[in-house]
Every structure is written in structure tokens, then in C-alpha cells.
Amino acid sequence: MTVEVPLSGGDVVTEGVVRVGDTVRRPLGPHSPAVHGLLRHLEAAGFDGAPRLLGTDEHGREVLSWVRGETPARPLPAYAVTEEALAGVAGLLRGYHEAVRAYEPPADAPWDTVASALDGAPEIIGHCDVTPENVVFRAGAPVALIDFDLARPTTRLYDVVTALRHWGPIADPCDRDGRLYGADVGRRLRVFCDAYGLAGDDRRRLLVAARVRFERSYEAMRLRAENVGGGWARLWQGGAGPRIRRAQDWLERNWDDLDARLT
Ligand SMILES: Nc1ncnc2c1ncn2[C@@H]1O[C@H](COP(=O)(O)OP(=O)(O)OP(=O)(O)O)[C@@H](O)[C@H]1O
Ligand SMILES: [Mg+2]
């Protein structure tokens, strides 16, 4: 008998994600062929920080390998907020960026090219959604990125900024996970950028990129809530908009301190 165990991570934007034995089954979308090419490339490149694509099943779902370990749920467990974990996530993202560099996506891949163009001249196919729920840990150390649904052409800096929105976190203290309420975010940004090996130019542009990104995410989420509905609408009704506004205010208030810590 096949047992399907429902999985949900974070915002549960993707409905119908289940575990079957050592596999994960996820619904296909327009982006799936491009993401599958990406996962095959990572496998060929020997990058083991991502699930393997095993095919599609009789219900038309993608079949991925189950990555052994745990993904931090909210409230975040202690192991997910250490500086070692933070540096580990940065190293994982860097490893992914190195492995994906040589990937030539199909020319007709239905990425969100409008958003990509706004990020600047694309350098890589970024993961673009490195939240705690999308990182698998084993014995307290991050070992894999999962959930490549939002992958698209972007810059390294943009992918780093998106990760830091969650892992800094670049957020008002009142919206942070309990264990990160009083976190020294300036220090955490520095730890992440050091472990990633972020170039000096990119460090100097990081806060500006965060500022631009917040404004764009606000608009993008509002539009998705209206036009796509489902999980996006639930996110928006749950106060995603005001959370972004508070994060923007916090960033502006702490700009000089953060900038000094980064450069
Ligand atoms: N390949 C995998 N290996 C191990 N765990 C997985 C894997 N895929 C998914 N999971 C678990 O299932 C949860 C949900 O999966 P996934 O992130 O793919 O979908 P989702 O979070 O519902 O989508 P979204 O991030 O778009 O809201 C993850 O947070 C993780 O705990
Ligand atoms: Mg997820």
C-alpha cells in the first residue's frame, strides 16, 4: 500500500505536496520543465545540496528524492538560529551558485523575465526562496536547498538579499521569530556575507538592493493575492503587506549601522 503523508512548509503556497516513502510528490506548474533541467544540471555537476529529480508519477506530479533531515518550522528551533547555521546556509547558497553557473536554461523557459530584468543583468539561475522552511538540516547543519519553484535568472546579490530577508532577518523585531527578536542583525549580515564570500561591490550595494526588493515584493505579493489567490491571498490577508512596510521602516532606521557593519 502506498502511504501519502501531506507536507507543508512555511506559507503553504504549494498545495498538495506529499511524501511517499523516500520520495516527495509535488504538483507540476508551467515552470516545472525549466526547474527539472536545473535539478538535472545540479545532479550532473555533482552538487548534492538539492533533491534529485526522479521523474513524474501516474498522477502527473513531479517525483523528487526525499532529503533526510529536518526543515525548521516556526517557532524556529535553537539549531536554526546559530551563527554556524547562518554561515552554513551562506556556504550552501554559494555552493549552489557555483554549481548552477554553467547551466544554460532552455530559451523558452517560462521564468518571470520581467522580475529578472529588474534585478540587473542575470548572472545565474537563483533559488530566490531560501527561507528556513526550504533548507534541510542534519545534526544542526544545513545540507540542502529544496523547493526550487521560484528559481529564475537573477544576480548573486539578489539571491543573497532574498536569503537575508529571512536569515538576517531583515525584519522589524516584532515580526521576527522569538529566538531572533533581539538578534544583532548587522553582525548576522556580516557573518553571512563572509561565509558566502560576497564581493566588496556587492556588499556596498546590498542595502540598496534590499530597499528595492521590499518595494517590489510588496507590489508583487499584492498582485499575486489578487490574481492568483489561494496561498498568496491567505498570506496577504495574514498581514504580509504591513510586515513588509515595517521591515522597510526598520531598514531605513538602521541603515547607517548596518552599512558600517557590512563594509
Ligand atoms: N525533497 C525533500 N526532502 C525533504 N523534505 C522535503 C522535500 N520536499 C519537501 N520537503 C518538506 O516538505 C515541506 C514542504 O515542501 P515544499 O517546500 O516543497 O512546498 P511548500 O513549502 O508547500 O511550498 P512553498 O514553499 O511554495 O510554500 C518542506 O518545508 C519540507 O519540510
Ligand atoms: Mg517550501
Side-chain angles (χ1 to χ4, degrees):
M1 194 184 79
T2 323
V3 180
E4 302 211 344
V5 183
L7 296 169
S8 79
D11 305 322
V12 199
V13 164
T14 314
E15 288 164 17
V17 181
V18 298
R19 178 178 179 179
V20 180
D22 284 339
T23 69
V24 173
R25 315 290 171 108
R26 307 174 83 257
L28 294 169
H31 59 278
S32 298
V35 171
H36 291 176
L38 174 70
L39 293 176
R40 280 195 209 95
H41 171 87
L42 295 177
E43 179 172 11
F47 178 70
D48 56 12
R52 297 292 178 236
L53 176 72
L54 303 174
T56 49
D57 72 6
E58 68 280 18
H59 303 294
R61 300 175 296 192
E62 65 184 11
V63 183
L64 305 173
S65 65
W66 171 260
V67 182
R68 202 165 39 80
E70 54 277 322
T71 49
R74 318 274 176 168
L76 292 176
Y79 71 78
V81 302
T82 65
E83 283 192 358
E84 292 72 29
L86 182 67
V89 172
L92 193 56
L93 187 63
R94 179 59 187 256
Y96 164 68
H97 285 172
E98 293 304 316
V100 82
R101 221 159 40 146
Y103 176 52
E104 290 286 344
D108 59 352
W111 314 113
D112 184 348
T113 48
V114 175
S116 293
L118 290 171
D119 299 344
E123 299 165 349
I124 46 153
I125 305 300
H127 180 285
C128 299
D129 196 21
V130 183
T131 60
E133 294 82 4
N134 289 336
V135 176
V136 180
F137 281 73
R138 216 174 289 146
V143 293
L145 301 174
I146 56 169
D147 192 356
F148 286 74
D149 284 355
L150 298 186
R152 59 173 173 78
T154 184
T155 61
R156 290 162 176 271
L157 176 62
Y158 190 90
D159 218 12
V160 165
V161 166
T162 302
L164 284 174
R165 159 76 170 124
H166 305 283
W167 289 93
I170 305 177
D172 187 279
C174 80
D175 294 315
R176 292 182 202 161
D177 208 84
R179 290 185 199 274
L180 289 167
Y181 180 79
D184 182 347
V185 172
R187 182 182 160 91
R188 288 176 62 86
L189 298 190
R190 175 88 192 219
V191 166
F192 190 98
C193 292
D194 286 350
Y196 177 91
L198 192 70
D201 278 1
D202 277 345
R203 279 180 201 239
R204 281 185 288 279
R205 295 188 295 140
L206 194 145
L207 297 183
V208 175
R211 180 191 267 159
V212 171
R213 181 191 174 282
F214 276 131
E215 204 47 50
R216 282 171 48 196
S217 349
Y218 186 91
E219 264 314 288
M221 289 187 70
R222 192 179 63 78
L223 288 174
R224 282 186 201 132
E226 263 176 35
N227 303 332
V228 185
W232 292 109
R234 283 195 295 279
L235 263 178
W236 195 249
Q237 282 149 15
R243 261 197 307 280
I244 294 176
R245 291 298 188 223
R246 285 190 293 274
Q248 287 178 300
D249 289 345
W250 180 86
L251 175 63
E252 299 300 330
R253 280 199 311 279
N254 291 279
W255 190 280
D256 291 343
D257 175 51
L258 296 173
D259 197 40
R261 309 290 282 283
L262 270 167
T263 53

